[in-house]
């Protein structure tokens, strides 16, 4: 596939063109960067490192209706995801895209999750390569990803200075290129090589790493190991590490009814670090303390998920390390697992 | 494929209380509001369903009737919290919604020709009931059937009339117990694990299935081992909190096993491998 | 400056005591300038302990955060003391917790640290985003000295210090068994100018301001969990029966969450700033807490966490309490 | 917010059983008319009213909330109204700080003999809310995803 | 197992009172659409017998388990319809009312608006009713006995009334004798009965009454429990005299080495007593008491060779080994009759009380004019702090004052000392004492009264005041600003406000008409019973008008001046009131306790004590419980004390304490129903 280029002057135009879809792009409020649906290209903030909240919420919304009902009536109306329309997520990082590819496996495991899958089908992911790893805590390369990784993406943009190099990776990506045909130009011939060099350079700048080999197999043997108590002692049991993790996908289901009797059954993000996540109606809690919950979190990502899907449910984006308020560091935990 | 989150409406044909008290148990006999659902529906003993009322919520329950009982499904539900309280308000003529069948089932085909002993406590008899019913309806396929069941008091016994009927049939042997002495109680007094030792079923060519409160299960498992049952001869069901029932929402796992998909039926051999199973 | 050797020595002495179960202090973090909580169970663990301006966490939270597992039959609950290191602001959490009878004074052993300010780690992170190897921060006079990768840099105190420290009224702990350093005199006060500023805005303006902030909230509940005063075993906001607040994350429920959280801390919040510090999406929670704090002080002359004998603000009244707002 | 002539506010009022509820009853027996947009919830004492009820009412769609109890010193339970006074002073200030106009959260002392005052209170609350308009910003907008 | 809600909605026409404005039919039609509403009806008068029968019938036939009546105010007919439910076999707390008359049809003339509002109110009642729960209206048994604290005239009167009615009374008095202040008085206004003459028979009666257990020189130490079942602990202080043996002969007192060395409190410290003493001759019981603080033997361990009193007592009653005795008993009710103190005149330094010997308080003057007082009833100039002369020594006859001046309102109606109230007795006792001066000292003794107003509001008061004035007592309106001495005389500096003339009034003796103030040891009782105080710091009654003898705590009543200043007839009247109030529960043997009380979820309570601190009835306490092996403190409500205000429920942050029938879980749907537009 021939590479294209999108000059920076034309980005606004391109975004305007894409606004005919549901366009999601990074935006800044105060000092926080989050992905948002944007209507005005000026809202997009492309000079960002990585977003605080991963763009997963546009495939797997924090709160989403499963079906609507009127109490007492037998008619249930499933949410029609198609109404949301075609979506373009513009400018997400390779790790976040790869995370979606990983989570796809779960949502199509035996039972297809119609909402998630439909939304994924309707979504085109336009990635933005990390010319510089945005955080000292990035470690995507340890998990098979890369700052220039393409897994899960439909299109990859690379910041070449004055312009973005555009590479279509899938049919969806090509289609999008067509949409943007009047903004795109052919890329200079040597850009492919240039980009490769940049990728290597960027990978070289990744500062943190972990050798994941053997971890999935080893984890179950460390069940009773003292390390869990130690690494979890400071944990607050909050939702930061899981809500901000691009691969975390747990949810709760609750019904909400209005006085009128109209209501919906909806699902919302839940976190395995919350205390009430596993409590039974009897009050018994199989994971009563933060130790068990931390152990489950790590095991889920690094042992159970690979057991079912042959892939570790972590992409090394470093968010949990950056934002954990008490500096619980997954790499330190994994180091201890390796050393144990 | 059907949207796995959308439940079917069922109508209550009959509903009655099995046991009184704060944590009372009510049994519902239901049929699909849309008769056509029966054509695609098939479940096996051990399967579960998400039961709920739109506007209240959903909870997982085992289907306590055997597929050999035609034209209805049964659920026996203990009042425990929000959903179950709302369900308990329903009566014959009302309806609720179910999603299923979910989960795995007891490997009854593999058990053909074997002697079966079921060991239940309290509401834990609910998943055992379809096993018993299945065997009685396919009596020739199986060896001896022995039932051990106990509850706190005679009042708390589920399926009383059925036990009476079974007890007087020559289908199988039936051993009942209560925890504390009561007047005119003709059967055993004491905890189920003790009753198990008293009955002492033989392990040869046998399968033991047990369900009940966690403490009971623990002792039953120990005692079965004492009686010579090997872990792969013993089956139980787990009940972990769950929301989706289809392996997505995350919380019901014990180790890498998802109770909603890999369970709720597990052999003791399987569980022994998983440290979290006995947390 | 707390002498680190003295600190470790003291810690060793304390944790060696028969009646002390655990000591909560600080140790270096895993990268950059971070420091993090340390849970010392025996004398051998004391070697890592530090106290520097990077020690931002309020460790008082951990005393009430402890999850008590059922005591096994035949065993006794471990009721030995927990030793905890607190700065001036943190110590007020202890006072307030005891005021609320969360535990008795003899359950804790307090190592007080007179403090002249900690850093705002977000500011440090923003200024030195590339520092991965452990760096150190010290406060020397009115400068922070940051050492990393073999270099040393001086930064004026105001540039990196946490906002709360600029308004700190109680730099020396209000409760302690041992003081690890010389007392520090009050060097700042709080005039609540920020709150007053916001108060003056037009209603629509205020709502728009908060709507934007609250819309970012992902309801991770970190602000609640970290708060030393949020320690109900079963938070009402998690309950389904009755359900005060839906779990849906939208502007209405988020606003309800923030009203509830802030109100539940009225007359209880001790201004440690932890809630705002932990918020991953930078919601200025202190502006909410400080509004209540200011009103409580203005209207009822009440300052939470300053005196164990204080009765709970909202369980008491004075006949002459203001009522000019009542028709 | 612009004044809207047709706008009829919806007011949820919490009244203590002994004074304000009785005062409102007296307004009834005396056939004193007042706007019908106030809907009363009876509690035994104004001290029972959790300030978060206000939040709940507003979230549900009420345009304003009124809490009314006995005059200071007259509380049937001695000092329930004093507790209420503290709580609501703080809550009201706080909501104002968030952008909820103070007109929407009101508190009054109405005794069992003040049927006429009850009318005045309702009229004033109602007028005040009319001035600031409907409270839409906080309403549950749930069916959005 | 209380199945699905089956709600009956009954909309009352109330003749045309409701139906004239509200479209009742429409409300019914609307109600039918609400979830769980089984029947909805309307009827002309729901409260009539046929109206109620409708409900009873539906409960039986339609199997209703909740009833919503939309009619008048629940303040009117809630009890009626509760009974209806009961007669239908339903728990009465399954009733919810919607007030569509007082707060709807009568106040909203527009039929459309009124109907609309009625629907909303019905809807709110329906959604709440779905969550109602059955409550027990509990009863507790009442112990047929009463504790009375304080044996002044009020306590004595209550004790006699209750004892006469056949109930057991425990009468506890702090002092060695019963009688209180009244027995200190000489005559009583306005009838001038001799105080002792009318008082002593009653004092003797309480001592002898078979139903009264009198405990003098005793103090209540602990009170636990609640109405019907109070647990009482009383300390009987040791008198070091065995009162069973003491005959009251008084030889011991004569022999006491310290005889006459200590001021006698009963005489307002103007007379003297020994270490062993009887406060006054008519004391009841007529027994001697050794004052621990004054006795040589008890303070120094030695009293000469051997204690003289002990040697002298032929009955062998003196016993230094006697110890305090603690008695415990149960009572059903309690009357507090602890009386008052007089205002401490030192707080008005301008009157120089305590500086000049002949500035007296009125109570001191009462003792001075009293025949059994320190001067045997002779009004003479006094010399304070004078040691008693050796026995037999000739005494110079004290001088009789030629003029006596009274100053009214000392410590009353005076913001500067924090007492805004009127003491109600000073005007009249001043008149009485002025009369007594004229009577006893003689008509030529000049008597002047400085006053602000004369409040002669009682029966016979004005007449008495008039009489005193006619007797030549001079009333000057004005508040003296200073008293000082000039030679032998006292000068009262004042302004006659009627004539606006400043004056310097010369006199021999000044009597300060001190007001009545709460006892300085009030806290003891407040701590025991958790009584509240009004702003004047007297104990607070449950309602100033309708429940003047009740307190906020059920089963605890007030009598006499402890509740507020009053004269003897008022004190007696209130004492009788308190006695009859206390007898109601005792006579019925049972009391109903509030059903809509609070209760605590001990699993979620965090033991913060916010509720404990706030409950006006101290119905909540923190108790230690075992939570999965850990000792934790949680709140617990004493349902017999809880009055169901619900203030605790609003204060609890963890939602652990809830008020029955007004739980958050029950109110929130109601708020929702009313909140929506
Ligand atoms: C596979 C399986 C089979 C079950 N079979 C039966 C049965 O036959 N009869 C019976 O009486 N009970 C059964 N249970 C338990 C039943 O699901 C819970 O008692 C019920 O969910 C309580 O719901 P609640 O809303 O009343 O309680 P709440 O405490 O109000 O529950 C809130 C939520 O927690 C979840 N939850 C709470 N406790 C449990 C629990 N123990 N297991 C799973 N989810 C829980 C539910 O999702 C519910 O939505 C079974 C559970 C599982 C997992
Ligand atoms: C100078 C003066 C003159 C007066 N003249 C008149 C008059 O002429 N006519 C008239 O009608 N009124 C007169 N009064 C008012 C009269 O004294 C009171 O109305 C009357 O004495 C009130 O009686 P009581 O029982 O309420 O209180 P008190 O007489 O004070 O009796 C209270 C009793 O309780 C006891 N007590 C207190 N605390 C405790 C405790 N904790 N435990 C046990 N016992 C306790 C006290 O020792 C005392 O015996 C006069 C008052 C004064 C000051
Ligand atoms: S590890 Fe950190 S982010 Fe995760 S739950 Fe614990 S405290 Fe929160
Ligand atoms: S981990 Fe970091 S470097 Fe790697 S893709 Fe994500 S943001 Fe980029
Ligand atoms: S920490 Fe921030 S994002 Fe998390 S719940 Fe609190 S305010 Fe919301
Ligand atoms: S609300 Fe925030 S500032 Fe206040 S005590 Fe809690 S964490 Fe500290
Ligand atoms: S309801 Fe009122 S009286 Fe009852 S315990 Fe609560 S605060 Fe006390
Ligand atoms: S206020 Fe609530 S949490 Fe605190 S002690 Fe009372 S019931 Fe318990």
């Amino acid at each position: 596939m021939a590479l294209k280029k999108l000059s920076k002057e034309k980005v606004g135009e391109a975004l305007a063109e894409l606004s005919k879809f549901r366009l999601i792009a990074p935006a800044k409020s105060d000092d926080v960067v989050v992905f948002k649906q944007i209507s005005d290209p000026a809202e997009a903030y492309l000079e960002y490192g990585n977003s605080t909240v991963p763009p997963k919420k546009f495939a797997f919304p924090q709160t989403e209706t499963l079906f609507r009902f009127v109490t007492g009536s037998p008619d249930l109306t499933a949410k029609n995801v198609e109404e949301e329309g075609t979506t373009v997520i513009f400018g997400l990082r390779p790790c976040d895209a790869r995370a979606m590819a990983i989570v796809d496996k779960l949502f199509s495991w035996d039972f297809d999750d119609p909402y998630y899958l439909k939304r994924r089908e309707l979504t085109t992911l336009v990635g933005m390569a990390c010319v510089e790893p945005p955080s000292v805590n990035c470690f995507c390369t340890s998990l098979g990803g890369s700052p220039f990784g393409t897994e899960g993406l439909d299109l990859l943009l690379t910041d070449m200075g004055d312009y973005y190099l555009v590479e279509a990776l899938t049919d969806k990506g090509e289609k999008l290129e067509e949409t943007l045909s009047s903004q795109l130009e052919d890329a200079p011939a040597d850009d492919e090589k240039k980009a490769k060099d940049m990728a290597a350079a960027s990978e070289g700048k990744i500062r943190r790493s972990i050798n994941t080999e053997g971890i999935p197999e080893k984890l179950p043997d460390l069940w009773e190991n003292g390390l869990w108590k130690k690494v979890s002692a400071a944990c607050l049991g909050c939702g930061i590490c899981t809500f901000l993790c691009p691969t975390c996908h747990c949810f709760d289901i609750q019904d909400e009814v209005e006085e009128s009797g109209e209501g919906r059954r909806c699902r919302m993000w839940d976190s395995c670090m919350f205390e009430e996540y596993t409590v039974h109606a009897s009050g018994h809690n199989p994971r009563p303390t933060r130790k068990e919950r931390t152990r489950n979190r790590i095991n889920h990502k690094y042992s159970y998920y690979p057991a079912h899907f042959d892939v570790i449910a972590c992409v090394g984006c470093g968010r949990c390390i950056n934002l954990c308020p008490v500096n619980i560091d997954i790499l330190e935990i994994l180091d201890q697992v390796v050393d144990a | 494929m059907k949207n796995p989150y959308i439940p079917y409406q069922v109508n209550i044909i009959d509903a009655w209380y099995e046991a009184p008290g704060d944590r009372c148990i009510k049994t519902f006999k239901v049929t699909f509001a849309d008769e056509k659902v029966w054509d695609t529906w098939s479940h096996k003993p051990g399967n579960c369903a998400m039961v709920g009322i739109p506007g209240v919520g959903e909870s997982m329950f085992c289907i306590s009737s055997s597929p050999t009982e035609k034209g209805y499904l049964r659920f026996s539900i203990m009042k425990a919290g929000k959903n179950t309280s709302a369900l308990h308000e329903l009566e014959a003529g009302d309806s609720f919604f179910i999603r299923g069948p979910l989960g795995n089932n007891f490997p009854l085909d593999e058990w053909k020709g074997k002697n079966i002993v079921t060991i239940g406590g309290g509401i834990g008899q609910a998943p055992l009931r379809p096993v018993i019913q299945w065997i009685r309806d396919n009596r020739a396929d199986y060896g001896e059937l022995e039932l051990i069941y106990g509850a706190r008091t005679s009042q708390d016994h589920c399926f009383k009339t059925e036990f009476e009927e079974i007890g007087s049939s020559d289908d199988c042997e039936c051993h009942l117990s209560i925890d504390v002495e009561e007047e005119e109680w003709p059967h055993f007094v004491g905890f189920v694990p003790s009753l198990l030792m008293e009955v002492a079923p033989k392990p040869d060519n046998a399968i033991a299935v047990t369900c009940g409160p966690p403490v009971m299960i623990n002792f039953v498992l120990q005692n079965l081992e004492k009686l010579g049952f090997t872990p792969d001869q013993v089956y139980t069901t787990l009940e972990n909190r769950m929301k989706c029932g289809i392996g997505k929402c995350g919380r019901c796992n014990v180790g890498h096993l998802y109770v909603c998909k890999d369970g709720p039926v597990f052999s003791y051999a399987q569980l022994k491998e998983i440290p979290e199973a006995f947390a | 400056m707390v002498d680190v050797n003295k600190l470790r020595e003291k810690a060793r002495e304390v944790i060696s005591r028969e009646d002390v179960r655990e000591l909560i202090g600080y140790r270096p973090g895993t990268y950059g300038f971070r420091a993090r909580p340390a849970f010392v169970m025996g004398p051998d663990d004391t070697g890592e302990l530090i106290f520097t301006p990077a020690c931002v966490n309020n460790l008082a939270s951990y005393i009430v955060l402890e999850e008590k597992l059922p005591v096994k039959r035949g065993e006794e609950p471990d009721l030995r003391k927990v030793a905890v290191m607190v700065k001036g602001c943190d110590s007020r959490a202890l006072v307030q917790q005891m005021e609320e009878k969360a535990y008795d004074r003899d359950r804790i052993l307090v190592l007080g640290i007179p403090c002249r300010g900690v850093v705002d780690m977000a500011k440090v992170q923003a200024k030195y985003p590339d520092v991965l190897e452990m760096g150190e921060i010290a406060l020397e006079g009115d400068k922070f000295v940051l050492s990393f990768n073999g270099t040393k840099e001086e930064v004026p105190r105001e540039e990196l210090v946490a906002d709360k420290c600029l308004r700190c009224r109680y730099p020396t702990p209000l409760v302690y068994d041992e003081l690890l350093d010389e007392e520090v005199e009050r060097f700042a006060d709080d005039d609540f100018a920020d709150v007053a500023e916001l108060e003056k805005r037009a209603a629509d303006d205020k709502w728009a301001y908060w709507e934007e902030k609250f819309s970012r909230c992902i309801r991770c509940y970190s602000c609640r969990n970290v708060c030393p005063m949020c320690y109900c075993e079963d938070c009402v906001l998690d309950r389904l029966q009755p359900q005060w607040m839906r779990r849906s994350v939208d502007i209405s429920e988020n606003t309800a969450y923030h009203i509830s959280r802030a109100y539940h801390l009225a007359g209880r919040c001790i201004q440690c700033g932890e809630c705002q510090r932990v918020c991953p999406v930078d919601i200025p929670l202190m502006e909410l807490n400080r509004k209540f704090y200011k009103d409580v002080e203005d209207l009822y002359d009440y300052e939470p966490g300053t005196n164990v004998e204080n009765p709970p603000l909202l369980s008491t009244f004075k006949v002459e309490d203001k009522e000019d707002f009542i028709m | 917010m612009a004044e809207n002539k047709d706008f009829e506010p919806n007011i949820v009022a919490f009244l203590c059983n002994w004074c304000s509820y009785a005062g409102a009853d007296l307004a009834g027996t005396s056939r004193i008319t007042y706007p019908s947009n106030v809907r009363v919830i009876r509690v035994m004492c104004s001290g029972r009213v959790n300030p978060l009820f206000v939040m709940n009412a507003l979230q549900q769609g009420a345009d304003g909330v009124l809490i009314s109890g006995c005059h200071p010193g007259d509380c049937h339970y001695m000092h329930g109204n004093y507790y209420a006074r503290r709580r609501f002073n703080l809550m009201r200030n706080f909501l104002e700080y968030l952008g909820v106009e103070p007109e929407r959260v009101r508190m009054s002392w109405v005794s069992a003999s003040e049927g006429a005052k009850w009318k005045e209170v309702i009229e004033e609350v109602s007028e005040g809310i009319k001035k600031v308009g409907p409270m839409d910003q906080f309403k549950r907008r749930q069916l959005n995803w | 197992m209380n199945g699905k809600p089956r709600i009956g909605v009954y909309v009352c026409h109330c003749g045309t009172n409701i139906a004239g404005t509200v479209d009742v039919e429409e409300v019914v039609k609307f109600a039918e659409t609400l979830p769980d509403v089984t029947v909805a009806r309307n009827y002309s008068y729901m409260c009539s017998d046929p109206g109620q029968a409708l409900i009873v019938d539906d409960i039986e036939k339609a199997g209703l388990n909740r009833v919503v009546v939309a009619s008048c105010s629940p303040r009117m007919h809630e009890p009626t319809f509760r009974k209806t439910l009961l007669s239908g076999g339903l728990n009465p707390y399954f009733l919810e009312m919607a007030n569509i008359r007082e707060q709807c049809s009568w106040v909203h003339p527009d039929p459309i608006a009124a109907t609309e509002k009625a629907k909303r109110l019905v809807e709110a009642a329906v959604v709440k009713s779905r969550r109602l729960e059955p409550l027990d209206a509990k009863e507790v048994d009442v112990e047929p006995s009463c504790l009375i604290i304080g044996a002044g005239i009020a306590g004595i009167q209550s004790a006699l009334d209750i004892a006469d009615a056949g109930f057991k009374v425990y009468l506890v008095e702090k002092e060695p004798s019963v009688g209180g202040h009244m027995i200190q008085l000489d005559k009583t206004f306005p009838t001038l009965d001799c105080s002792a003459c009318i008082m002593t028979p009653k004092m003797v009666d309480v001592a002898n009454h078979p139903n009264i257990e009198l405990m003098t020189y005793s103090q209540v130490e602990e009170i636990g429990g609640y109405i019907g079942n109070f647990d009482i602990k009383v300390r009987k202080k040791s008198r070091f005299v065995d009162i069973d043996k003491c005959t009251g002969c008084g030889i011991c007192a004569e022999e006491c080495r310290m005889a006459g060395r200590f001021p006698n409190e009963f005489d307002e410290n103007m007379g003297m007593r020994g270490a062993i003493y009887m406060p006054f001759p008519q004391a009841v019981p007529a027994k001697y008491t050794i004052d621990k603080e004054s006795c040589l033997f008890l303070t120094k361990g030695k009293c000469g060779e051997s204690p003289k009193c002990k040697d002298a007592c032929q009955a062998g009653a003196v016993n230094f080994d006697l110890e305090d005795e603690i008695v415990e008993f149960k009572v059903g009710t309690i009357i507090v009759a602890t009386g008052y103190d007089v205002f401490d005149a030192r707080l008005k330094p301008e009157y120089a009380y305590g500086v000049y010997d002949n500035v007296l308080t009125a109570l001191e003057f009462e003792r001075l004019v009293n025949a059994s007082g320190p001067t045997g009833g002779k009004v003479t100039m006094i010399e304070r702090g004078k040691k008693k002369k050796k026995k037999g020594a000739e005494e110079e006859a004290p001088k009789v004052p030629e003029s006596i001046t009274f100053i009214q309102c000392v410590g009353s109606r005076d913001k500067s000392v924090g007492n805004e109230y009127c003491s109600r007795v000073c005007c009249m006792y001043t008149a009485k004492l002025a009369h007594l001066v004229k009577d006893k000292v003689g008509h030529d003794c000049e008597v002047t009264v400085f006053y602000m107003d004369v409040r002669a509001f009682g029966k016979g008061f004005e007449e008495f005041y008039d009489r005193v004035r006619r007797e030549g007592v001079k009333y000057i309106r004005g508040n003296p600003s200073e008293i000082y001495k000039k030679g032998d005389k006292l000068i009262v500096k004042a302004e006659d406000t009627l004539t606006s003339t400043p004056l310097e009034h010369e006199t021999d003796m000044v009597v300060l008409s001190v007001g009545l103030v709460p006892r300085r040891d009030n806290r003891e009782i407040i701590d025991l019973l958790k009584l509240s105080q009004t702003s004047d710091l007297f104990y607070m009654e449950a309602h100033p008008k309708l429940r003047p003898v009740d307190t906020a705590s059920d089963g605890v009543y007030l009598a006499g001046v402890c509740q507020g200043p009053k004269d003897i007839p008022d004190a007696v009247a209130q004492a009788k009131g308190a006695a009859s109030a206390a007898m109601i529960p005792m006579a019925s043997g049972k009391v109903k306790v509030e059903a809509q009380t609070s209760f605590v979820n001990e699993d979620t309570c965090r033991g913060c004590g916010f509720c404990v601190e706030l409950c006006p009835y101290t119905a909540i306490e923190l108790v230690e419980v075992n939570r999965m092996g850990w000792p934790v403190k949680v709140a617990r409500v004493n349902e017999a004390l809880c009055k169901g205000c619900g203030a605790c429920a609003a204060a609890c942050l963890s939602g652990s304490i809830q008020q029955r029938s007004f739980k958050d879980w029950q109110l929130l749907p109601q708020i929702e129903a009313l909140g929506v537009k």
Side-chain angles (χ1 to χ4, degrees), chain A residues 53-65:
Chain A
V53 187
K56 74 169 172 187
K57 67 173 175 180
F58 292 95
F60 171 47
Q62 183 156 10
T63 306
E64 92 170 298
T65 302

Side-chain angles (χ1 to χ4, degrees), chain B residues 220-234:
Chain B
V220 165
L221 292 177
Q222 284 173 26
N223 287 355
L224 282 171
E225 249 178 325
K226 279 186 212 150
L227 291 170
F229 281 80
T230 58
D232 54 0
Q233 283 177 289
V234 179

Side-chain angles (χ1 to χ4, degrees), chain E residues 368-428:
Chain E
L368 204 61
V369 291
N370 194 297
S372 67
T375 57
K378 289 202 192 67
V379 178
T380 58
M381 300 290 281
I382 59 165
E383 217 176 308
R384 294 184 194 250
K386 195 175 69 171
K387 285 268 148 60
K388 201 179 168 191
K389 290 255 168 63
K390 278 233 172 66
K391 247 189 259 169
E394 195 59 30
E395 223 174 308
E396 205 184 306
K399 207 180 132 224
V400 174
E402 286 162 11
S403 66
I404 298 180
T405 303
F406 289 85
I407 300 176
Q408 288 195 176
C409 290
V410 177
S412 308
R413 306 171 67 199
D414 183 350
K415 275 194 192 155
S416 72
V417 293
N419 297 342
E420 269 190 78
Y421 58 87
C422 165
S423 289
R424 293 174 60 108
V425 292
C426 317
C427 292
M428 291 320 291

Side-chain angles (χ1 to χ4, degrees), chain A residues 177-188:
Chain A
E177 271 192 356
E178 278 164 35
T179 314
L180 296 177
S181 53
S182 47
Q183 284 80 33
L184 296 180
E185 300 157 66
D186 284 338

Side-chain angles (χ1 to χ4, degrees), chain E residues 502-567:
Chain E
L503 46 90
E504 298 196 344
H505 173 78
E506 209 183 80
T507 185
D508 284 332
M509 181 179 266
V510 174
V511 178
L512 304 175
S513 299
V514 285
L516 312 187
V517 298
R519 281 185 67 99
R520 282 172 260 281
D521 59 9
N522 253 3
R523 270 251 67 95
E524 284 174 22
I525 299 293
I526 289 173
D527 291 343
L528 281 173
L529 281 167
K530 312 288 184 305
L531 294 181
S532 305
Q533 294 163 285
T534 34
S535 57
D536 53 19
L537 302 181
F538 286 100
Y539 299 141
M540 184 161 122
E541 62 283 352
H543 189 278
K545 284 153 198 92
L546 301 177
R547 301 177 64 201
V549 302
D550 306 66
T551 64
S553 314
D554 281 347
V556 180
Y557 312 91
L558 301 176
V561 179
C562 64
Q563 178 259 347
K566 50 181 70 66
D567 61 7

